Amino acid sequence: MNILGIQVLRGPNIWSIRRKKLIQMRLDLEEMEQRPTNVIEGFGERIAKLLPSLYTHRCSKGAPGGFLARIEEGTWMGHVIEHIALEIQTLAGMDTGFGRTRQTKTEGIYNVVFSYIEEKAGVFAAESAVRIAEALINDQEYDLEADIQRMRELREIERFGPSTGSIIDEAISRDIPWIRLNKGSLVQLGYGKNQVRFRATMTERTNSIAVDIACNKDETKRILQDSAIPVAKGVTISDVADLPDAIKKVGYPLVFKPLDGNHGKGASINVLTDEAAAAAFEYAKTYSRKIIIERFITGYDFRVLVIDHKMVAAALRVPAHVTGNGQGTIQELIDKENEDPRRGYGHENVLTEIGIDRDTLDLLGKKGYTLETVPPKGEIVYLKSTANLSTGGTSIDVTDLVHPQNVFICERISRVIGLDICGIDIMAENLTQPLPENGGVVLEVNAAPGFRMHLAPSEGLPRNVAAPVIDMLYPPGKSARIPIVAVTGTNGKTTTTRLIAHILKSNGTRVGFTTSDGIYVQNTMLMKGDTTGPVSAEFILRDPTVEFAVLETARGGILRAGLGFNHCDIGVVTNIQEDHLGISDIHTLDDLTKVKAVIIGSVKRSGWAVLNADNKYCIKIAGNADCNVAYFSMDENNPVIVEHSKKGGIAAVYENGYITIKKGDWKIRVEKVTHIPLTFGGSVDFMIQNVLAATLTTFLWGYKIEDIRMSLETFIPSAAQTPGRMNIFNFKEFKVLVDFAHNANGYNGIKTYLKSIEATEHIGVISATGDRRDEDIRETGRISAQMFDKIIICQEKYLRGRVPQDLIDLLLEGIADVKPDMEVMINNSGDDCLKYLIATTKSGSFITILSGTIGDAVDKVSEYLDKELGV
């Protein structure tokens, strides 16, 4: 078997609108296409032995054991690999279960699709599943545990920590979108101007001065002490020579910790001798230049969490430990403790496995123990000096037991230090009594405190501490989203996108929009190129200045990675015509419709699908739309429009020379098309369609007719407003039209327009695109022969894996079908071709440059015109 490619889908896609995180593996079964599982001797027994947990997979049988039954009956290896990929992820601590395997139109080649939790682990699972299947086919041993461990490692590298993850989960539960901004824990919640950012448990509201104070334990202590908050007696030193004086001043027992430390790193507790003090100093010195020496306070270690100056949780933290049974060594007791199913690798479970480090050995040494010591039955042996969960500690929820005065003290501390989210470490006999009464003290105040001990305590009630974070960032009435209009279709996407953006901008909205020629915010191009995929959409949604997003969304991005957003407010489908067929398993217009329908599937229920009633494939999409539907049409008597209007629906139609909105039986005329520059005096039907789509979209959003009308009148087709779309340049002796028409439908639109143009000679510059079907290329040649008197083929780019002459020959075949004796010139240098045209074209001629045949044609033609005008 051969993996032909692996794609990671991160947004709504052709396989599922709801399940956004999918791996799509294109797999060639090769000889296995002829060998279903029931003809492979012993395959069923081997896979059940290697992966017994596959018994839980119900498959089409709908009951446990269903998948294994399918193997016995006979199923193809793509289906098997799908289930293996899902199961090994689950075994690696990433429980997931959605899968689809479908054969393509090419025999033996399948799309194997399955869900993933962490991207790199998902890709690894795809590759591993194929290796496992091959080993099972060939009856070979396979080290499954090694692959599972590798996936665990990939998961830990990539996944969010429990604190960050809990905030994201809470945001998702409230339908707040999120974007990961780096490989770590920097996350954006919301879109555009309504975004907020956080990193772990620090938010954009977190005061930087407060963080600086909290990170300086000495400064924190001084400020708390000055505010009459009980703290442990102590000093800070940086030189070992000062150690004797510090010991004398504070007195044994002591705690040593680095000034800038965190997570208990470099700390030593209950230091009782000068020798131990010297060692503790050197240990702490490895983490910080300055060392805090405090009086060791007996009692229990508590963590109180305060969010937005309100106490939300409290936990008793217990350092990692084992309890002697009088038989096992400490090492054996640790191993047994790590077998607890609640403990896992990294953050995969409620508890973390207990590791052995210097701190462990030091603590044992103080008791005269080693790892081989057998402690008496019932003795608790502590293995860490701090109670951090990341080092194997446990937590017990005590939120409901905290005395009101201690609640007041902690909430006051958050304001004294100035942190919106803070964790307060307290050493005390209990929190049920006020700290001043039981001698408890505040040890530290932590910026970015971990949430794990509260989210999943070892004992007691779990606390959803992420909820108050979201409450703080998005209080009632504050939106996390900005309006999104997504525009797709075969032709007209870019112009429709630009016109919608223009109407919005003209009415005082700061717009970010993506097109096939670049990314724009307001009137500034920020990135040049084809920017119609999910990465470009996310670029706009990350921009904090954007109030409204209009996103041209092409088929390529949907197929490659899914949408760059979860929901949109309005989805527009301009039309569905033959183009790009035969690519990425899209062979028919029904296949293409399924791709374009992803946009409409992402429209929220209260939103709108804006569809072309003159296109049967758009009408087909409407039948499955789970949102409001509005149509546009060049004919108000279109049966779809008539029926839609009878039901009180909203539509935009071209009637009696007007762009008109229909609401049930009512008509609202917007503007005469002859007054709308984009329609070229009403002579270009496809531009009228674009105007209808944009007018209907902005009307549905709530813009007034008069505001839409003014915007339509001020949108001038030009190299600035609509680059590469019906750009006409008036030279003294002739005219040049540059348009990005690149398929038969686009060519026919230009042909209709040219019929209205009087010229002594119509000259066309054309080329083919290598990833189109041969018949599509021939058809553009035929249409070219119908509309031009002379043709120049300039095939300098868009080869897409083909040889230039092959494309030229296909164009020539199409031209010859219509005009066998037509004059055709071949010039594959865009610059030479344009230079020749400017120098030799006769007076009164009309030159049409199509399909981006000449690189940067708009700019180059503009340069020639400027020279002629002496600019």
Side-chain angles (χ1 to χ4, degrees), residues 6 13 46 63 145 182 205 233 308 325 328 364 383 407 499 504 519 726:
I6 296 176
N13 54 76
R46 291 194 291 273
E145 186 53 42
N182 65 0
R205 290 184 42 165
K233 180 181 178 183
D308 200 19
N325 59 12
L364 294 177
L383 303 168
V407 172
L499 181 54
L504 298 173
I519 298 175
M726 294 294 292

Side-chain angles (χ1 to χ4, degrees), residues 465-575:
V465 294
V469 176
I470 300 298
D471 292 339
M472 175 179 68
L473 298 176
Y474 286 104
K478 180 179 178 179
S479 174
R481 295 181 177 271
I482 60 172
I484 298 174
V485 172
V487 182
T488 194
T490 302
N491 296 309
K493 299 186 296 294
T494 300
T495 301
T496 302
T497 297
R498 284 181 164 276
L499 181 54
I500 293 170
H502 175 76
I503 295 170
L504 298 173
K505 288 187 292 181
S506 299
N507 287 281
T509 302
R510 184 176 292 278
V511 184
F513 59 102
T514 63
T515 70
S516 58
D517 55 80
I519 298 175
Y520 298 79
V521 172
Q522 285 298 84
N523 299 315
T524 302
M525 176 187 278
L526 300 178
M527 191 176 293
K528 188 174 183 180
D530 187 347
T531 57
T532 56
V535 173
S536 303
E538 192 173 281
F539 181 101
I540 289 296
L541 299 175
R542 289 200 316 263
D543 192 308
T545 68
V546 172
E547 298 173 339
F548 203 122
V550 185
L551 307 172
E552 180 180 345
T553 309
R555 65 186 289 284
I558 298 173
L559 290 170
R560 186 174 59 253
L563 298 181
F565 49 89
N566 292 341
H567 305 295
C568 60
D569 298 271
I570 301 178
V572 182
V573 184
T574 58
N575 48 67

